[in-house]
Amino acid sequence: MELSRDAIVEGLREILGPGHVVTDEQELRERSIDNFRKLETIFGVWTLPAPAAVARVGSTEEAAAVLAFAAEHGINVVPRTGGTATEGGLETHVPNSIVLDGGRMNEIIDVDPYNMQATAQCGVPLQVLEDRVRELGLTTGHSPQSKPVAHLGGLVATRSIGQFSTLYGGIEDMVVGLEAVFPGGGVTRIKNVPRRAAGPDIRHVVIGNEGALCFITEVTVKLFPYLPENNTFLGWTLGSMKSGFEVLREVMVAGYKPSVARLYDPGDGSIHFSHFAGEDDCVLLFMAEGNAGIARATAEGIAEIVARRPECTPVDSGLIEAWFNDLTWGPDKITREDERIRTTRNVNRTTEISADWSSVHDIYEAAIARIRSEIPDITILGGHSSHSYINGTNMYFNYFYDLVDCGPEEEVTKYYLPIIAVICEETLRCGGSIVHHHGIGKARAPWAKDEYGSSYWMLEALKGAFDPAGIMNKGTIIPA
Ligand SMILES: Cc1cc2nc3c(=O)[nH]c(=O)nc-3n(C[C@H](O)[C@H](O)[C@H](O)COP(=O)(O)OP(=O)(O)OC[C@H]3O[C@@H](n4cnc5c(N)ncnc54)[C@H](O)[C@@H]3O)c2cc1C
């Protein structure tokens, strides 16, 4: 029999004690959404059912007990750590859901500079881990713009990526082992080793599961030497995205590994670079880092490649460095942006995809043209590529619109989802992936079948095997 809201709260209090079961109405409303519907928090309008409670677990055992309780009673569970999700993964569409919050699991368990790895609980903010390892002259190499606020559990659950990905990779290249709790309460540990060939690599069932298969409790990531004194910044302006993609491709194919390799179009560039770039200019920028010899050779190699392109005009590297130093988003910047939206009703949104070198420019052009012609009230429209590979790159669309003739609660259906639809359609038409790093959440789940194609059954089989009662984050990745 379905448990009442009060009975769910009572059951959780028995497991965690009353102090760690949140039932405050305002907090529950705020926990019903994430940044996908951030206007609901900014304007105080709520459209989704509030969860029954937030269960603030303090240990793997408590997480296991909550998941056993949820499985026994068929209660939907929405895992949460830093709360910076952008794609609706934290939304509680199912009435009387439990939000399983790992924020109290915030212990750095081990930093091992000899084996170059660190182990931390899911609720450790990445910035805290990074600050700790920097004291030893090391870095995690992971630097998403949400680094000050996102936690390790969520970062692994979403397959996140950082600004230095071209050198260090995405989180999937950094995680060497982990611990997770599955529905029903079973605790699973995948040991820490440099590589394994003992069958399929089951880390990848957990990495990117977005809380739809299990709850990640502990993570071990690689460490690298931190040598900021060798950081070298390079920048150019140029007239077209097409030749910008060509330069990026050439750098990647030549085997250089700058930590940062980015290309901005004039629309997106106007937000960051109007103090040195003209209004029709694209901006191409790189950062080389690491050991002095490697950083020098990387910067010289890139400069040689760009020097063969007369359309590229060099930019003072100090300007690139200054811009780069202000790239992350801490709580103050997020609050200022929310206030800007509240007072101006001008909303900034982003959507990221990936594609091979042959397709990325076509997707970029087609999506930008369609958004411009199909979506009303756009004030800024553009994009950049920020993560490149030998076989392709990502495109991060960045767009602003005014809310016209609609309430903040209608923003998602009037503007945001139609833009996402255009970007997904154009990406799928050209064979790209509709999600490069934010996770599919609930927002892009309607396109999951098209994204996976003939391998979609494998995704459904995973869900059926690991979450047979369907209690884990219903509607996330696999549409409800
Ligand atoms: C300003 C800003 C900048 C951002 N920049 C980047 C960026 O540069 N790169 C990037 O990749 N992303 C970026 N993001 C997106 C977001 O920060 C990432 O997706 C991040 O990985 C989420 O981590 P979190 O701890 O906040 O997770 P949450 O928001 O709490 O959760 C995210 C998802 O993971 C699930 N989840 C959370 N914890 C667990 C767990 N312990 N076990 C299982 N599932 C769990 C949730 O159910 C949800 O589906 C940005 C977001 C913002 C708001």
Side-chain angles (χ1 to χ4, degrees), residues 34-35 38 77-91 100 102 122-124 142-147 149-163 180 206 209-218 262 327-330 334 387 396 436-439 441-442 472-473 476:
D34 58 34
N35 282 294
K38 67 179 174 183
V77 174
V78 178
R80 178 184 187 100
T81 50
T84 65
T86 56
E87 307 303 318
L90 297 177
E91 290 182 357
L100 178 53
C122 60
V124 172
H142 201 40
S143 185
Q145 284 179 270
S146 52
K147 179 165 68 178
V149 274
H151 297 177
L152 281 163
L155 288 159
V156 173
T158 53
R159 290 185 82 86
S160 61
I161 203 164
Q163 296 150 53
V206 177
N209 89 82
E210 297 187 42
L213 299 179
C214 63
F215 184 73
I216 300 161
T217 47
E218 194 184 296
R262 289 188 176 221
L327 212 50
T328 52
W329 283 71
I334 291 172
H387 307 276
Y396 188 93
H436 177 264
H437 62 264
H438 281 167
K442 297 181 181 78
M472 295 302 287
N473 213 349
T476 294

Side-chain angles (χ1 to χ4, degrees), residues 390-466:
I390 200 158
N391 61 332
T393 190
N394 82 310
M395 193 66 217
Y396 188 93
F397 293 94
N398 191 6
Y399 40 94
F400 291 64
Y401 39 78
D402 287 329
L403 289 187
V404 178
D405 295 333
C406 81
E409 71 284 6
E410 295 164 299
E411 179 250 345
V412 162
T413 41
K414 180 169 180 187
Y415 299 100
Y416 196 11
L417 273 174
I419 295 176
I420 291 173
V422 167
I423 294 170
C424 289
E425 283 163 19
E426 293 307 320
T427 302
L428 290 166
R429 189 173 62 77
C430 297
S433 170
I434 61 165
V435 186
H436 177 264
H437 62 264
H438 281 167
I440 201 161
K442 297 181 181 78
R444 282 183 260 182
W447 290 275
K449 255 190 182 158
D450 296 327
E451 166 75 11
Y452 278 80
S454 63
S455 61
Y456 186 70
W457 72 273
M458 293 176 72
L459 188 66
E460 287 184 309
L462 281 178
K463 180 76 176 169
F466 293 113

Side-chain angles (χ1 to χ4, degrees), residues 159-210:
R159 290 185 82 86
S160 61
I161 203 164
Q163 296 150 53
F164 311 131
S165 69
T166 315
L167 178 60
Y168 299 102
I171 193 85
E172 68 276 18
D173 303 303
M174 301 164 176
V175 172
V176 294
L178 50 79
E179 181 191 78
V181 185
F182 281 78
V187 178
T188 294
R189 181 172 283 279
I190 300 175
K191 67 184 175 186
N192 306 325
V193 289
R195 186 175 186 265
R196 62 204 99 204
D201 190 341
I202 53 175
R203 281 175 306 172
H204 294 283
V205 174
V206 177
I207 299 171
N209 89 82
E210 297 187 42

Side-chain angles (χ1 to χ4, degrees), residues 31-316:
R31 293 295 172 266
S32 70
I33 56 161
D34 58 34
N35 282 294
F36 186 68
R37 283 175 213 272
K38 67 179 174 183
L39 266 59
E40 298 197 4
T41 305
I42 295 171
F43 290 93
V45 287
W46 310 100
T47 58
L48 297 181
V54 177
R56 302 185 66 237
V57 294
S59 67
T60 299
E61 293 70 31
E62 287 185 355
V66 170
L67 282 179
F69 172 70
E72 184 186 346
H73 299 289
I75 305 164
N76 185 57
V77 174
V78 178
R80 178 184 187 100
T81 50
T84 65
T86 56
E87 307 303 318
L90 297 177
E91 290 182 357
T92 55
H93 287 248
V94 179
N96 293 340
S97 295
I98 295 172
V99 172
L100 178 53
D101 186 333
R104 278 176 63 225
M105 296 183 65
N106 56 6
E107 194 189 330
I108 297 175
I109 295 167
D110 184 39
V111 176
D112 178 352
Y114 189 74
N115 291 305
M116 295 296 272
Q117 56 193 33
T119 301
Q121 287 185 306
C122 60
V124 172
L126 177 56
Q127 185 75 62
V128 170
L129 179 62
E130 182 66 23
D131 290 347
R132 172 76 69 83
V133 303
R134 290 241 183 123
E135 288 167 10
L136 303 172
L138 301 173
T139 176
T140 61
H142 201 40
S143 185
Q145 284 179 270
S146 52
K147 179 165 68 178
V149 274
H151 297 177
L152 281 163
L155 288 159
V156 173
T158 53
R159 290 185 82 86
S160 61
I161 203 164
Q163 296 150 53
F164 311 131
S165 69
T166 315
L167 178 60
Y168 299 102
I171 193 85
E172 68 276 18
D173 303 303
M174 301 164 176
V175 172
V176 294
L178 50 79
E179 181 191 78
V181 185
F182 281 78
V187 178
T188 294
R189 181 172 283 279
I190 300 175
K191 67 184 175 186
N192 306 325
V193 289
R195 186 175 186 265
R196 62 204 99 204
D201 190 341
I202 53 175
R203 281 175 306 172
H204 294 283
V205 174
V206 177
I207 299 171
N209 89 82
E210 297 187 42
L213 299 179
C214 63
F215 184 73
I216 300 161
T217 47
E218 194 184 296
V219 178
T220 301
V221 289
K222 293 176 190 168
L223 299 174
F224 304 87
Y226 181 58
L227 302 163
E229 62 277 16
N230 300 329
N231 290 355
T232 309
F233 296 87
L234 303 163
W236 290 268
T237 57
L238 72 168
S240 90
M241 286 295 277
K242 187 139 184 90
S243 58
F245 284 125
E246 287 302 324
V247 179
L248 281 182
R249 180 187 169 279
E250 215 177 310
V251 167
M252 297 310 297
V253 170
Y256 293 109
K257 294 226 173 286
S259 54
V260 179
R262 289 188 176 221
L263 171 68
Y264 282 77
D265 80 350
D268 200 358
S270 69
I271 304 163
H272 308 275
F273 308 119
S274 57
H275 52 301
F276 64 80
E279 64 179 24
D280 295 326
D281 281 343
C282 301
V283 175
L284 181 63
L285 55 93
F286 297 91
M287 172 170 146
E289 67 168 280
N291 176 290
I294 292 174
R296 199 178 321 110
T298 304
E300 283 171 8
I302 293 169
E304 262 171 41
I305 287 172
V306 185
R308 293 197 288 270
R309 301 255 172 189
E311 69 271 30
C312 295
T313 307
V315 172
D316 174 16

